[in-house]
Amino acid sequence: MNDIKLAVLGSEGVGKSALIVRFLTRRFIGEYASLTECIYRKRLTLDGRQLNVELYDPCSQVCAGKSALSDQIHWGDGFLVIYDISDRSSFQAAKNILHLMRETHPGASKRDGEAAAGRPVVLVGNKQDLCHMREVDHEEGQRLAADHRCGFLELSAAEHSQEVALVFSKVVQSVCAGSKAKERRRRPSGSKSMAKLINNVFGKRRKSV
Ligand SMILES: Nc1nc2c(ncn2[C@@H]2O[C@H](COP(=O)(O)OP(=O)(O)OP(=O)(O)O)[C@@H](O)[C@H]2O)c(=O)[nH]1
């Protein structure tokens, strides 16, 4: 898989655009146009592989509601679910998104970091620089992530350029690893299928002798 779709989800004003722009440009720009949804594209080289990454930044005012969210969940190969550590209601919204992912893909959440049917999810507590106004404890974030078997970290789009780059790269890496594993499960290995063939031909013959 060389085309990877990442959806950055979360309620209004949690910093989705700020995180994406930070990842794409390494810059923090204070204000972002928020009346349109956007798909950004970036070419990445990871472990010598050229990847085309699409990043979906929904507009919370326009794309609110369960059905829009379901579409976004179906669209993505991997997800960052964002809340603002200084805004409890945004944490509740992140919780709802994770629940919906579980509902959309019952039977998911079995493997670590894969809350949405084998598609990696990381829960991100943004605006860590506002920890003096914190409304959501670090442990609460950790617990929610553990409940949904997804990754978790707190960071600040405003201050942490490297951490932002790292979290996006990790999700991309997990998507690649997941798709390779799926490929392996789909296609039996050469030696196994050859063994099956030999068994089919000679095994039957041996029985009739
Ligand atoms: N202090 C602080 N402010 C931040 C941080 N990240 C984003 N912001 C601010 O939070 C506000 C909302 O950021 P956006 O990136 O527009 O949030 P969004 O989630 O894309 O919002 P919608 O497009 O409305 O859904 C802006 O004023 C940003 O400057 C951060 O890490 N720290």
Side-chain angles (χ1 to χ4, degrees):
M1 178 194 278
N2 290 328
D3 297 319
I4 290 175
K5 296 183 183 130
L6 296 190
V8 181
L9 308 178
S11 61
E12 195 181 331
V14 292
K16 299 181 293 296
S17 306
L19 286 161
I20 292 174
V21 171
R22 187 55 122 168
F23 173 56
L24 295 174
T25 67
R26 296 179 180 265
R27 298 214 174 100
F28 177 70
I29 300 158
E31 293 305 320
Y32 306 86
S34 63
L35 284 173
T36 48
E37 54 182 335
C38 287
I39 292 185
Y40 298 89
R41 292 184 174 83
K42 184 177 172 80
R43 280 179 80 87
L44 263 186
T45 307
L46 212 75
D47 303 328
R49 256 175 84 185
Q50 288 275 343
L51 303 169
N52 304 311
V53 181
E54 286 190 347
L55 297 149
Y56 177 59
D57 180 7
C59 166
S60 315
Q61 288 169 45
V62 178
C63 309
K66 207 169 165 177
S67 84
L69 199 54
S70 286
D71 290 345
Q72 293 154 14
I73 291 170
H74 283 291
W75 178 86
D77 299 313
F79 304 90
L80 286 97
V81 178
I82 319 294
Y83 66 93
D84 169 354
I85 65 152
S86 67
D87 174 8
R88 174 149 295 275
S89 69
S90 74
F91 185 62
Q92 184 56 47
K95 223 183 233 181
N96 295 343
I97 293 169
L98 291 173
H99 278 301
L100 188 62
M101 282 177 171
R102 192 182 265 173
E103 267 176 31
T104 312
H105 299 289
S109 306
K110 284 189 179 138
R111 270 185 290 175
D112 283 349
E114 296 188 351
R119 293 178 295 167
V121 182
V122 177
L123 176 68
V124 177
N126 188 35
K127 308 197 187 181
Q128 201 191 34
D129 55 296
L130 300 182
C131 59
H132 51 286
M133 294 158 66
R134 183 187 279 280
E135 288 185 2
V136 184
D137 289 337
H138 185 272
E139 292 70 29
E140 285 180 87
Q142 259 177 338
R143 227 175 299 133
L144 178 61
D147 284 350
H148 289 270
R149 299 219 173 206
C150 59
F152 171 69
L153 87 162
E154 282 189 356
L155 50 65
S156 161
E159 293 184 349
H160 301 146
S161 179
Q162 277 191 350
E163 285 84 346
V164 172
L166 206 70
V167 71
F168 278 94
S169 305
K170 258 194 121 170
V171 180
V172 171
Q173 237 164 2
S174 306
V175 170
C176 288
S179 75
K180 269 191 200 160
K182 250 186 232 156
E183 270 297 298
R184 273 199 300 274
R185 280 198 294 273
R186 222 177 287 140
R187 261 194 259 139
S189 74
S191 60
K192 260 193 192 161
S193 53
M194 187 57 78
K196 220 173 168 183
L197 192 68
I198 290 169
N199 200 32
N200 280 348
V201 175
F202 295 102
K204 274 181 194 143
R205 237 187 240 166
R206 221 179 290 134
K207 265 185 203 161
S208 65
V209 171

